[in-house]
Amino acid sequence: LVTIAFLNETNPWLAACLTSAVLFGPWYAIRTFQSKRNVSAIMGVSAMFMGGLLVHFGQGPVQIEMHFYFFVLLALLAVYANPMVIVCAAITAAAHHAALWMLLPSSVFTYDAPFWVVAVHAAFVVLESIAACFIARSFYDNVIGLEKKVAERTSELESRNRDMRMVMNSVKQGFFTIDAIGKMSEERSAAVEQLLGPIESGESYFDVLRRHDPRVADWTELGLDDVFAGFLPVEVTLDQLPSKLVVGHRTLSIEYAPIDADGELQGLAVVVSDVTAEVERQQLEVESRELIAMIEGISNDRFGFIEFSKRPSRSSR
């Protein structure tokens, strides 16, 4: 603007001062306003003031052509996706033209423009402003609003995933999923590696089982083919899969549940539980029952037991 004022001999020093004064508005708004929408409204007002300065300091043969700046800018302001920016800018342009038409006509027009000319100019500003408001609203709904919705949904999903991971990592059972070729899901509970050991990247479910019991791994791999073949009901084929795995001194229980999508089997949910204590308890119960049965037998036939115990064993003969 200073250069334009210098070339047109319309006081470049005044152009520098007025331009700085207009720029102070956005600078102050950015530093003090909390709402970005309010800042964008100040941007719209300041842009129209810049247009007024452009027309004023560009007096000459092309001064009237510079009025297109106002119309172009009203359209460009739609990218703020805030109709209030368009409204504020349109009011600023209308007020600027009305005031200068009465106080300093040469700043706006190169000729003695009658009132109806100013009215027509204002009508075009109003018409374009209405259209730009609809465009701004549509832009918000289809671009910015959609991005916000996606960001909100993504944030909600991440929050749910965090909650789910916390729940999965707080239980003592191992949870994960596998597909038809035994590929394990990345999302699994912390207990999986505690029960089955560290799982390397790219390892399949069969590889993990094979480290502990090759027979169980082969049986599972063979049975999984039948599960996904679909020749028999899933419940029947799942019952054929191994349900126990011995890892060191622990006994693990393995349960499978089908994952369906649109009536098709997509994968299996696997639940691994440490049942060592349960197996030991059952074994103790069996031994206890055998001991009780033996004691009852001795009580019922004491003399027979004494005679039996008196017989020499084969090793002593």
Side-chain angles (χ1 to χ4, degrees):
L1 287 178
V2 173
T3 302
I4 292 173
F6 175 79
L7 295 175
N8 288 297
E9 299 181 354
T10 51
N11 198 336
W13 291 108
L14 181 61
C17 293
L18 293 180
T19 302
S20 301
V22 173
L23 290 176
F24 176 79
W27 176 84
Y28 181 79
I30 291 172
R31 294 179 62 89
T32 58
F33 288 7
Q34 297 296 324
S35 172
K36 298 298 183 182
R37 295 178 67 83
N38 292 339
V39 172
S40 64
I42 298 299
M43 294 291 188
V45 173
S46 302
M48 288 303 169
F49 275 126
M50 284 295 186
L53 294 179
L54 174 65
V55 174
H56 176 76
F57 292 110
Q59 293 179 25
V62 296
Q63 181 183 21
I64 194 65
E65 303 298 330
M66 292 184 180
H67 282 264
F68 286 110
Y69 168 91
F70 297 100
F71 298 104
V72 172
L73 190 62
L74 280 174
L76 294 178
L77 289 177
V79 298
Y80 276 102
N82 181 6
M84 188 54 63
V85 175
I86 310 297
V87 173
C88 292
I91 293 174
T92 302
H96 166 268
H97 280 57
L100 292 185
W101 175 70
M102 293 184 293
L103 301 176
L104 188 61
S106 61
S107 177
V108 184
F109 300 103
T110 57
Y111 59 95
D112 188 14
F115 177 77
W116 68 270
V117 173
V118 180
V120 169
H121 199 84
F124 279 116
V125 170
V126 172
L127 181 62
E128 185 179 3
S129 299
I130 294 173
C133 285
F134 279 102
I135 295 173
R137 186 68 227 183
S138 177
F139 184 73
Y140 178 86
D141 293 337
N142 297 324
V143 180
I144 298 179
L146 182 61
E147 289 181 355
K148 286 187 175 181
K149 289 180 181 178
V150 171
E152 290 174 358
R153 297 288 175 84
T154 302
S155 178
E156 291 176 2
L157 183 59
E158 290 177 350
S159 177
R160 291 180 181 179
N161 288 339
R162 283 195 301 269
D163 294 341
M164 185 61 66
R165 282 194 294 270
M166 289 177 61
V167 172
M168 292 179 65
N169 291 335
S170 64
V171 298
K172 296 182 179 180
Q173 291 176 303
F175 294 97
F176 58 95
T177 62
I178 58 174
D179 60 11
I181 60 174
K183 182 180 179 181
M184 302 177 66
S185 60
E186 294 295 332
E187 291 295 331
R188 46 183 177 257
S189 63
V192 173
E193 295 196 1
Q194 295 174 3
L195 297 173
L196 298 176
I199 300 174
E200 301 295 334
S201 177
E203 268 193 316
S204 69
Y205 178 52
F206 312 124
D207 296 331
V208 175
L209 294 178
R210 195 165 282 111
R211 290 205 306 257
H212 306 292
D213 192 330
R215 185 180 63 85
V216 171
D218 295 338
W219 186 5
T220 302
E221 188 170 4
L222 182 63
L224 209 60
D225 292 336
D226 294 335
V227 172
F228 285 92
F231 295 121
L232 295 173
V234 176
E235 294 76 11
V236 175
T237 52
L238 287 181
D239 287 339
Q240 307 305 315
L241 296 178
S243 59
K244 290 288 190 297
L245 176 69
V246 177
V247 178
H249 64 280
R250 293 183 299 185
T251 301
L252 305 182
S253 168
I254 305 177
E255 299 177 72
Y256 301 91
I259 301 175
D260 294 328
D262 299 327
E264 294 185 2
L265 184 63
Q266 300 295 321
L268 297 177
V270 185
V271 182
V272 182
S273 307
D274 188 347
V275 294
T276 305
E278 179 68 18
V279 171
E280 291 177 350
R281 184 184 63 79
Q282 293 176 354
Q283 183 63 31
L284 287 175
E285 289 180 353
V286 171
E287 293 176 356
S288 298
R289 284 196 297 268
E290 291 177 351
L291 180 60
I292 292 173
M294 184 180 67
I295 294 174
E296 289 179 348
I298 293 173
S299 300
N300 294 333
D301 189 7
R302 233 179 328 176
F303 295 106
F305 175 76
I306 293 174
E307 288 295 327
F308 175 79
S309 60
K310 287 181 179 180
R311 291 179 185 178
S313 63
R314 291 182 180 180
S315 60
S316 62
R317 290 179 181 178

